[in-house]
Amino acid sequence: MIVAEDLVKEFKVHRRRPGLIGSLGTLFSREHDIVRAVSGVSFRILPGVRAAYIGANGAGKSTTVKMLTGVMNPTSGRCTVAGLEPYRDRRRTAANIGVVFGQRSQLWWDLPVADSFRILRRIHDIPDPVYRRNMALYQELLDLDALGTTPVRQLSLGQRMRAEVAASLLHDPAAVFLDEPTVGLDLVLKEAVRELVNRVNAQLGTTVMLTSHDIGDITSICDQVLVVNHGAVVHQGTVHELLRAADTRAVVFEYQDGPDPHQAIALIEARLPGVTARQSECRRIIVDYPTGRLSARQVMAFLLEHFDLTDCVAPEPDLETVLRRIYTRRAEPREVPV
Ligand SMILES: Nc1ncnc2c1ncn2[C@@H]1O[C@H](COP(=O)(O)OP(=O)(O)OP(=O)(O)O)[C@@H](O)[C@H]1O
Ligand SMILES: [Mg+2]
């Protein structure tokens, strides 16, 4: 359904010079740098899949989504959505897809939400039963009527986002691109948006591509995760596979008496190769160890020998920790080719 082949996007940015005079000079200068926002991204999202497209700030997610939705041309490479090249065939692509950019509105700024929906109904030529079915669903989950006749520009961020997500799905698109759709939403509304996306996916088989920094969005919506780092995809698979691929695991322990936590951390890091330790609470310490070099058993044996333990557990790796480690990796060639 959504295919990217060696997708590259470069931006030309004027080279800035320091100071006011430098800034003015920039206006007339022809010097520029090339920023490679997306550098050779390839992936394939099958119909009906709910894929999370995640990565650190600036990793190139929104830029990829812009190319997939026809907002921008790729510098090189190719992408298709439902067989169409979005930037070549914007009109037909628009009929197939829904888009939410959390940072930018798709609605008519001066009109109340209800009017925007009526316009969208005309634009997409949505049949009556479909329109009524969808509006009833949005009313049930998102309480859209409560937005009343207030123009979009006066809505709170959370109120607007409810309307944005609903608007993107109104015409039963085959694929929906949600770029940070829950940004600014409270917990209850986040749940409602997740439920809406899941229900639409279950009932209509809508393909979902979602970017989010919210772990809850990823775990409650997505069955696949694509991780992008420094402009390239470094992992595609299920959340479970991503967790299993973790090259670092943790052992958490608590102890009494003996060295203070700073000394304890120094001892652990000095004696166990490749290990980092940090204090979580007073005498509770988290030890991160590389799975390639040590086992939980070895780490625990060391701790038993050197500390008077009152608790010791080896928790399952959690998504947040695994992602944090991937995001903090330096730019390197693609580690896991997709
Ligand atoms: N129009 C532009 N001109 C120049 N550089 C740009 C432009 N758009 C994006 N970039 C740069 O491209 C890189 C990727 O940006 P992008 O918005 O795709 O990141 P992102 O992964 O969506 O980040 P975030 O999680 O913060 O939304 C960044 O370094 C950004 O500064
Ligand atoms: Mg973004």
Side-chain angles (χ1 to χ4, degrees), residues 152-225:
V152 169
R153 67 161 76 248
Q154 288 170 16
L155 295 177
S156 78
L157 176 61
Q159 290 168 332
R160 178 171 71 74
M161 287 309 291
R162 271 143 82 181
E164 299 278 353
V165 176
S168 73
L169 295 166
L170 191 64
H171 56 300
D172 284 354
V176 67
F177 296 86
L178 305 170
D179 191 358
E180 303 196 38
T182 60
V183 74
L185 298 188
D186 65 37
L187 292 173
V188 176
L189 270 176
K190 271 187 188 171
E191 282 298 323
V193 165
R194 292 167 187 167
E195 159 107 32
L196 173 64
V197 175
N198 284 338
R199 260 212 239 177
V200 169
N201 166 269
Q203 286 169 5
L204 304 172
T206 313
T207 310
V208 178
M209 183 164 174
L210 167 117
T211 83
S212 178
H213 292 292
D214 188 318
I215 298 286
D217 286 348
I218 300 160
T219 51
S220 55
I221 297 180
C222 298
D223 39 31
Q224 273 212 20
V225 196

Side-chain angles (χ1 to χ4, degrees), residues 32-79:
H32 60 258
D33 291 317
I34 301 284
V35 174
R36 199 165 234 239
V38 174
S39 81
V41 158
S42 300
F43 58 80
R44 193 169 280 267
I45 299 173
L46 297 177
V49 166
R50 289 160 294 166
Y53 194 64
I54 54 183
N57 291 125
K61 304 178 298 294
S62 295
T63 307
T64 307
V65 173
K66 283 176 189 162
M67 291 188 278
L68 292 170
T69 53
V71 176
M72 273 177 187
N73 293 348
T75 306
S76 66
R78 188 166 173 269
C79 58

